[in-house]
Amino acid sequence: MTTIPAKRFVFSKEAAEKVAQIQKKYPMDHKQAALLEVLILAQEQNQGWLSVPILEHVSQILDVSFVKIWEVVTFHTMFHTKPVGTFCVQVCTTTPCGLRGSSQVMRACQRWLGIKADQTTVDGMFTLKEVDCLGACANAPVMRVNEDYYEDLDEGTTLEVLEALVDKKKKLVKGSQKGRKSSEGQDA
């Protein structure tokens, strides 16, 4: 039985230049400090996810063990180790979001998308993920789509966000869906 070798990863010329600039910010004996920034660049170049060959390449560039990189990648919800859809929808289900209705948000996503958590729609447009914390507890429940946060959600506003992602004619409001400017109370 023959195996097909994994495709080798190399940064594009532009990304390699950015990596070099990032590395200049840190002392040579602390190359690993650039890890998050370099991983973000690699994920952007690879259509939103990090493969083993990418992690091996980053390991060589930054002189960081593969295991340490794997620990970082699997800890942070912003990194993906499998291909994701055009829109990666992450629903926070930890205690603050759970107490404020994240289960309704997740159910709305599952019904509208026709998939469960950790699945991608057949057309490759959406991946749905249940995550532990998105760090916006004061405005729970929270959903992140790619890099954008949608807060103070309920079933209706969740569906509005999902529909606006597909229908570019609909207005997509990032942040609080109740009009909060920060974490002030709803009566502020």
Side-chain angles (χ1 to χ4, degrees):
M1 181 176 186
T2 59
T3 57
I4 299 170
K7 184 179 176 188
R8 190 171 171 281
F9 175 83
V10 179
F11 279 108
S12 67
K13 181 181 177 189
E14 297 80 24
E17 289 170 1
K18 287 180 183 178
V19 168
Q21 290 301 315
I22 291 167
Q23 287 180 304
K24 287 180 184 177
K25 296 191 296 186
Y26 304 100
M28 285 301 294
D29 59 336
H30 292 290
K31 287 191 211 179
Q32 71 276 10
L35 182 59
L36 291 178
E37 290 180 85
V38 173
L39 287 171
I40 289 168
L41 279 174
Q43 183 165 273
E44 287 172 356
Q45 182 177 319
N46 196 50
Q47 300 171 332
W49 71 287
L50 296 166
S51 65
V52 169
I54 292 171
L55 301 180
E56 290 170 343
H57 184 67
V58 171
S59 173
Q60 291 171 353
I61 289 173
L62 298 180
D63 194 26
V64 177
S65 74
F66 181 87
V67 170
K68 285 185 180 181
I69 293 176
W70 185 254
E71 289 171 346
V72 169
V73 166
T74 56
F75 175 78
H76 291 283
T77 59
M78 65 188 177
F79 297 121
H80 311 290
T81 57
K82 296 187 296 188
V84 294
T86 304
F87 299 108
C88 184
V89 177
Q90 298 177 327
V91 178
C92 177
T93 58
T94 50
T95 304
C97 285
L99 290 172
R100 303 227 21 227
S102 65
S103 60
Q104 294 171 344
V105 171
M106 181 59 92
R107 278 194 304 273
C109 289
Q110 289 174 335
R111 277 194 313 271
W112 195 85
L113 297 171
I115 58 174
K116 294 182 177 162
D118 293 321
Q119 293 181 339
T120 299
T121 56
V122 176
D123 62 4
M125 286 293 291
F126 290 91
T127 297
L128 180 61
K129 292 183 167 269
E130 181 177 344
V131 296
D132 286 330
C133 185
L134 290 173
C137 305
N139 294 346
V142 178
M143 175 172 76
R144 176 178 157 165
V145 180
N146 298 343
E147 303 304 318
D148 299 320
Y149 280 69
Y150 301 90
E151 305 163 357
D152 295 315
L153 294 167
D154 58 29
E155 184 175 352
T157 54
T158 299
L159 295 175
E160 288 173 14
V161 170
L162 294 173
E163 290 169 3
L165 290 168
V166 175
D167 184 351
K168 299 299 179 192
K169 294 176 187 169
K170 292 189 177 196
K171 184 178 180 186
L172 183 61
V173 178
K174 298 173 188 169
S176 174
Q177 301 303 296
K178 292 183 178 179
R180 287 201 251 186
K181 301 295 182 221
S182 61
S183 299
E184 75 270 5
Q186 294 178 13
D187 298 328

